[in-house]
Amino acid sequence: MTYSKLGDSKIIVDHTGVPEALRKTGAGLALAERMVADMRAEGWGVIALCPFVKAQARRHPEWADVIE
């Protein structure tokens, strides 16, 4: 997952990559879930430019407190 820091309390996630061998294993979702948990714990917000994270955020409305 690549991201850029935006100010003191927000990041922009622009890419999530999973090696071919790990595709279809839930690795990408696990990475996104960990990012959400970490950002929530730190009180940070996320702007999701990454199509994968955007799609997962639509499937997980409980992430709305973290992901814009």
Side-chain angles (χ1 to χ4, degrees):
M1 182 173 285
T2 60
Y3 61 90
S4 302
K5 188 175 175 185
L6 181 64
D8 291 332
S9 61
K10 205 168 275 195
I11 64 170
I12 300 169
V13 175
D14 57 16
H15 178 72
T16 302
V18 174
E20 190 66 39
L22 294 176
R23 294 209 175 157
K24 308 272 185 194
T25 66
L29 178 58
L31 187 59
E33 288 172 333
R34 179 58 187 255
M35 178 271 300
V36 168
D38 288 349
M39 295 300 98
R40 186 176 282 137
E42 296 296 324
W44 282 52
V46 175
I47 297 172
L49 299 182
C50 169
F52 177 78
V53 173
K54 277 182 163 180
Q56 290 302 318
R58 283 192 297 273
R59 292 183 183 109
H60 297 275
E62 68 274 16
W63 295 0
D65 63 315
V66 175
I67 298 181
E68 296 181 16

